[in-house]
Amino acid sequence: MYIERAVESLIERTAHSFPAVVVYGPRQVGKSTTVMKLYGSRMSSVTLDDAEDRRLAQENPRLFLETWKWPVIIDEIQKAPNLLDAIKIEIDRQKALWLKNDERLKLMYILTGSNRFELQQGISESLAGRCGIVEMDSLSQSEKYHEHAPVFHPDLQSLRDRERNSNVKYRTRARIFQDLFNGGMPDVVTGMAERDLYYRSYIDTYIEKDVRQLIKASSEMQFRNFISILALRTGQEVKYDRIASAAGIDARTCRQWMSILETSGLIYILQPYMSNISKRIIKAPKLYFMDTELCAYLCKWPTAEMVEKGAMGGAFFETYITSEIIKNLRAHGVDPRQYLFYYRDIDQKEIDLIYAETDRIYPIDIKKGIAPEKADKNFSVLKKYKMPVEEGIVIDCCDRMRPINENAWYFPAFLV
């Protein structure tokens, strides 16, 4: 069963602007499936998981490209990074012919891969300016409910339009936590894989194929423990010294391993909102897992009900909403790092998310209850930035938008 992806239109737009498109993201989020659905009938395809094709690509890239003539989809491109130089030469040669004959550029290559460490270096060195890059995440909730959600923006009119045009029915908090617990990995969502077996294998494959060369072999068990320790801290500020102490590593290694997980797309590091005039803000970033089921598995939560009613219920709900917004922005080609931040000062006043534009800011709080009392109590602290603070929203488990006061509204979590 294929689930339509919001990122499809971004891939197609990118393919109209570049001779090569690189689609990358965490393992098993559906990159190859989506690309084949869009272009499988129009392009040949080859995967470098195949030992013979991989050997040819590694040993004789030119012959490989002559064998697999463009347009072609090349899966797991990171397994033959030297192939990127040959692709660069072929693109430049073809672009010269198009220019000479006054022809428009055509899509030559779609490259997919899950190891961003090798891909990023190869792309920056070989394909800079020649390819468009699209990042994929696991399934969003709107995709799971077959909803064509527009790009998220906290402007009230945009939110009203989102509510009015949505076909998704109201979901209770218990149902939302079940969605949270089910996560977004396609094989689990579609029932093709059993949860615990799937994630045990997922972690093994991730360490074996993506990060083993980046960490010492003797540190593999510590790295596994480190991932679980981070999962227990999702939705919290990053305290490197404390995390390092709990994992039995030094702070430098802690930072390095967190960078590996962020680059892999398994976690997202949310930066604090900064201003030159504000010296009382806490500068530590916050940590979020991008797939809540993986996080629940690592925390050893066996059911959605236990997550909802447990001590981490609020942190998981905040992680769920934040990751859904990030997935939405990326699928529409918007870099969340340019707009999403959080606020907390030494007086413990905190705002979960700030959507910041050049000339205005939007406060967003995330609460797992329904209509919590004084939900917007900290929004007023943003006035010190001497720029317009728009009406804020509190995302909770309500059934529809409704005003809190003249400065804030409740917004339903099931519509994010």
Side-chain angles (χ1 to χ4, degrees):
M1 181 182 67
Y2 181 77
I3 298 176
E4 188 172 347
R5 305 302 299 268
V7 77
E8 290 176 19
S9 60
L10 176 60
I11 294 173
E12 292 183 309
R13 293 201 311 271
T14 306
H16 285 298
S17 302
F18 293 92
V21 176
V22 178
V23 181
Y24 64 59
R27 290 189 170 274
Q28 302 176 30
V29 297
K31 301 180 295 295
S32 302
T33 302
T34 300
V35 167
M36 289 302 296
K37 187 260 184 181
L38 293 175
Y39 296 98
S41 62
R42 292 178 272 169
M43 304 174 69
S44 58
S45 63
V46 57
T47 175
L48 298 184
D49 276 332
D50 183 279
E52 289 302 312
D53 287 321
R54 182 170 65 250
R55 180 189 60 79
L56 180 60
Q58 291 170 335
E59 296 178 1
N60 197 332
R62 182 182 61 81
L63 180 58
F64 177 90
L65 294 183
E66 289 180 0
T67 303
W68 294 96
K69 297 183 181 297
W70 68 270
V72 61
I73 300 165
I74 305 176
D75 191 27
E76 299 294 349
I77 184 65
Q78 79 278 354
K79 294 187 176 182
N82 56 333
L83 186 59
L84 295 174
D85 286 331
I87 290 174
K88 169 190 173 183
I89 293 171
E90 183 63 17
I91 288 175
D92 289 347
R93 185 187 68 81
Q94 192 60 46
K95 286 176 69 175
L97 290 176
W98 289 331
L99 184 62
K100 179 180 178 181
N101 298 326
D102 196 26
E103 296 182 61
R104 296 180 61 184
L105 68 82
K106 299 179 179 66
L107 177 62
M108 299 174 65
Y109 302 101
I110 297 182
L111 314 175
T112 69
S114 55
N115 192 322
R116 286 178 57 179
F117 313 104
E118 297 173 358
L119 269 178
Q120 285 180 330
Q121 181 178 356
I123 291 169
S124 62
E125 292 176 355
S126 301
L127 295 183
R130 298 169 179 84
C131 71
I133 299 175
V134 176
E135 186 169 4
M136 277 191 69
D137 291 296
S138 59
L139 289 165
S140 68
Q141 295 306 305
S142 60
E143 290 170 336
K144 288 165 63 174
Y145 283 91
H146 309 290
E147 173 82 348
H148 296 279
V151 62
F152 178 85
H153 192 284
D155 171 73
L156 281 186
Q157 187 57 54
S158 297
L159 296 175
R160 290 191 185 102
D161 291 343
R162 192 182 192 89
E163 181 179 47
R164 182 176 63 252
N165 297 326
S166 175
N167 295 316
V168 177
K169 295 181 180 180
Y170 168 67
R171 303 200 304 280
T172 64
R173 181 170 65 185
R175 178 64 230 181
I176 289 173
F177 267 87
Q178 188 62 56
D179 288 332
L180 176 159
F181 187 77
N182 291 342
M185 289 299 187
D187 284 351
V188 179
V189 170
T190 57
M192 295 177 62
E194 191 274 324
R195 173 186 181 262
D196 287 357
L197 291 175
Y198 175 87
Y199 281 106
R200 186 182 308 126
S201 174
Y202 187 91
I203 294 297
D204 289 343
T205 303
Y206 169 69
I207 292 175
E208 178 182 346
K209 295 188 176 182
D210 287 353
V211 304
R212 180 168 287 172
Q213 62 183 340
L214 301 174
I215 62 175
K216 297 178 181 178
S218 60
S219 301
E220 183 176 318
M221 290 306 299
Q222 278 185 309
F223 187 78
R224 290 173 181 270
N225 185 46
F226 177 76
I227 300 176
S228 296
I229 288 171
L230 287 188
L232 291 166
R233 288 163 171 76
T234 189
Q236 299 180 23
E237 290 179 8
V238 176
K239 304 293 187 183
Y240 292 101
D241 291 341
R242 294 181 185 177
I243 296 172
S245 177
I249 57 178
D250 56 56
R252 180 179 179 182
T253 302
C254 176
R255 290 176 180 271
Q256 178 191 358
W257 286 0
M258 284 193 65
S259 177
I260 290 172
L261 291 168
E262 183 181 23
T263 302
S264 302
L266 296 189
I267 66 172
Y268 184 88
I269 303 298
L270 182 70
Q271 299 297 329
Y273 186 69
M274 304 294 290
S275 173
N276 291 335
I277 66 169
S278 177
K279 298 181 180 179
R280 294 168 60 82
I281 196 167
I282 301 295
K283 295 184 179 181
K286 290 181 74 174
L287 158 75
Y288 294 97
F289 267 71
M290 286 301 297
D291 188 84
T292 46
E293 185 176 21
L294 172 61
C295 190
Y297 168 78
L298 291 168
C299 292
K300 296 181 171 54
W301 291 105
T303 66
E305 183 179 13
M306 291 186 68
V307 175
E308 176 187 354
K309 297 180 179 179
M312 293 184 66
F316 264 90
F317 188 75
E318 183 181 332
T319 297
Y320 168 79
I321 296 298
T322 302
S323 64
E324 287 298 304
I325 293 174
I326 292 167
K327 290 177 184 180
N328 174 281
L329 294 178
R330 283 177 175 167
H332 287 279
V334 179
D335 186 353
R337 293 171 297 182
Q338 295 183 9
Y339 298 96
L340 287 185
F341 306 90
Y342 87 99
Y343 174 90
R344 188 181 185 193
D345 59 29
I346 59 175
D347 297 320
Q348 305 302 309
K349 292 182 178 180
E350 183 172 359
I351 300 173
D352 295 324
L353 289 176
I354 290 178
Y355 191 99
E357 297 179 335
T358 55
D359 59 346
R360 64 196 64 213
I361 50 181
Y362 298 82
I364 303 170
D365 255 348
I366 302 168
K367 308 294 182 184
K368 77 169 185 175
I370 299 177
E373 187 178 354
K374 297 180 180 179
D376 66 328
K377 62 182 179 180
N378 292 326
F379 287 0
S380 61
V381 302
L382 299 179
K383 294 179 180 179
K384 66 182 177 183
Y385 289 112
K386 307 300 181 183
M387 63 187 301
V389 178
E390 298 297 321
E391 290 174 287
I393 59 171
V394 175
I395 300 175
D396 68 0
C397 294
C398 62
D399 61 344
R400 61 181 175 86
M401 287 185 67
R402 63 188 72 198
I404 299 174
N405 51 47
E406 64 275 10
N407 297 315
W409 287 65
Y410 291 115
F411 186 76
F414 76 95
L415 292 178
V416 172

